[in-house]
Amino acid sequence: MKEFINKNCFITGAASGIGRSFALALANEGMKLFISDVNTEGLEQVKKEIEQKGIIVHSIKCDVSKLSDIENAAKAFYSKLGDVDLLINNAGIGRAVNLANMNLENWKKVVDVNLWSVIYSMKVFLPRMLERKSGHIVNVASGAGLFGSSEPPSYITTKFAVVGLSEALFSRLKPLGINVSVITPALIRTNVFHSGLKNMEYDPKMLKDIGKEKLDEIYGSAMTNLMNSAMSPDVAVRKYIRQIKKDQLYIFDSQQIKHIVALKGKNMKEYEEFLLNYQEMQANSMKEHFQQYGINIEDYW
Ligand SMILES: NC(=O)c1ccc[n+]([C@@H]2O[C@H](COP(=O)([O-])OP(=O)(O)OC[C@H]3O[C@@H](n4cnc5c(N)ncnc54)[C@H](O)[C@@H]3O)[C@@H](O)[C@H]2O)c1
């Protein structure tokens, strides 16, 4: 999608982080925006920020894990703006997984929000794009959709699926006039990690010995440290927009992720080593973090 001025865009998860930065940047690019989120308070704040620039923007509450919400949002979009030129499926969540005692409700929630949302969005928006032979679909996946990182397994599973779906759609829809891109962010300074903590599945023994309040504090400060080295969402979104304008399938913000993908294709043994080392490195860094609080986390592994 080369030209953004006066084109229509729908964004999910626009109340915070990458979605919010997309909304602000695309408003500056002259797009007509319809923003959505399940968090109406945050959404209204973003709407106000855009309106302060003298730009008209529409907003709607939309829980992307519900087909009916996406259908309602589409109806409202069509009546206010007409056809969707740029569809950004951005909303997503992470929830920690305790492998020894998996909480299937948490798994289901992550699959519903991160994967079914994109499938619902295709069902609702694609037929009209196909009729017009026009449109650009941008799915926000993750670097964790390209390699088995240290993110929760449920998160990795859904992000791999979104990457796969995007590739499948790319080759089928491009000849029909519709572009598909998939964004694979590395580490962006947003609320996704802190919000994931709210539903953290702590090991029962750890919970009994250390207590939820202390654990929330320890993991919270680990997330804050992580975020200190992360890229600002405004900077990331500038990179994404440049690549969307080139109609690229894969959209990256980090060379490191590209190197990992290359390694997977080059040498499987080295790649396996890398996965093990990566996991160990993350575990060591968490071990050191807990040591600062006088706790040996290995007692709970
Ligand atoms: N921040 C990163 O480092 C990073 C890395 C890789 C991928 N991502 C992906 O980027 C996307 C945006 O996340 P972010 O980092 O900006 O996080 P964020 O938490 O700041 O923003 C996510 C937004 O999605 C909304 N949301 C959550 N559940 C929803 C639902 N059911 N329906 C509608 N909206 C919902 C939240 O209210 C929030 O406004 C996500 O898909 C995330 O997985 C982020």
Side-chain angles (χ1 to χ4, degrees), residues 138-188:
V138 175
N139 296 325
V140 182
S142 171
L146 294 169
F147 80 102
S149 73
S150 55
E151 306 278 358
S154 52
Y155 184 81
I156 295 175
T157 303
T158 57
K159 295 300 183 177
F160 262 79
V162 171
V163 168
L165 174 58
S166 305
E167 276 207 13
L169 292 174
F170 173 83
S171 50
R172 283 159 181 79
L173 298 181
K174 186 97 180 166
L176 305 176
I178 298 158
N179 282 305
V180 178
S181 299
V182 59
I183 303 183
T184 58
L187 185 60
I188 316 298

Side-chain angles (χ1 to χ4, degrees), residues 16-18 37 62-64 90 140-142 155 159 188 190-192:
S16 161
I18 295 171
D37 204 292
C62 174
D63 178 343
V64 291
N90 162 73
V140 182
S142 171
Y155 184 81
K159 295 300 183 177
I188 316 298
T190 69
N191 290 323
V192 77

Side-chain angles (χ1 to χ4, degrees), residues 21-226:
S21 292
F22 253 129
L24 290 163
L26 293 174
N28 286 338
E29 292 266 346
M31 285 204 100
K32 294 187 196 155
L33 288 182
F34 212 119
I35 59 176
S36 71
D37 204 292
V38 74
N39 165 7
T40 46
E41 208 178 300
L43 189 66
E44 286 318 297
Q45 241 162 19
V46 175
K47 186 169 186 254
K48 257 191 222 147
E49 273 184 83
I50 296 173
E51 283 168 343
Q52 274 161 9
K53 296 167 184 276
I55 297 167
I56 297 170
V57 53
H58 304 278
S59 66
I60 192 163
K61 180 178 181 183
C62 174
D63 178 343
V64 291
S65 65
K66 292 183 183 151
L67 176 61
S68 57
D69 272 26
I70 300 187
E71 283 170 338
N72 286 340
K75 235 184 255 168
F77 189 103
Y78 296 143
S79 78
K80 294 274 185 209
L81 293 180
D83 292 309
V84 178
D85 297 303
L86 181 62
L87 170 62
I88 305 184
N89 294 312
N90 162 73
I93 56 166
R95 294 207 169 170
V97 168
N98 180 336
L99 285 176
N101 187 15
M102 272 201 303
N103 175 333
L104 291 184
E105 279 309 304
N106 266 345
W107 260 87
K108 194 171 171 325
K109 180 80 187 164
V110 172
V111 175
D112 283 347
V113 176
N114 292 1
L115 177 57
W116 272 104
S117 61
V118 184
I119 300 167
Y120 291 152
S121 173
M122 294 302 101
K123 169 150 180 70
V124 170
F125 289 105
L126 192 54
R128 222 162 131 155
M129 286 186 175
L130 284 168
E131 258 174 45
R132 296 169 60 220
K133 296 189 179 8
S134 162
H136 194 140
I137 299 164
V138 175
N139 296 325
V140 182
S142 171
L146 294 169
F147 80 102
S149 73
S150 55
E151 306 278 358
S154 52
Y155 184 81
I156 295 175
T157 303
T158 57
K159 295 300 183 177
F160 262 79
V162 171
V163 168
L165 174 58
S166 305
E167 276 207 13
L169 292 174
F170 173 83
S171 50
R172 283 159 181 79
L173 298 181
K174 186 97 180 166
L176 305 176
I178 298 158
N179 282 305
V180 178
S181 299
V182 59
I183 303 183
T184 58
L187 185 60
I188 316 298
R189 202 177 314 121
T190 69
N191 290 323
V192 77
F193 298 96
H194 279 102
S195 347
L197 286 180
K198 278 188 212 140
N199 299 287
M200 187 95 175
E201 287 171 30
Y202 292 125
D203 170 81
K205 185 169 168 355
M206 211 173 174
L207 201 57
K208 188 166 162 274
D209 292 354
I210 305 169
K212 181 167 169 15
E213 208 175 310
K214 192 76 195 163
L215 283 170
D216 284 349
E217 181 196 332
I218 300 173
Y219 277 105
S221 62
M223 292 306 150
T224 304
N225 292 347
L226 189 68

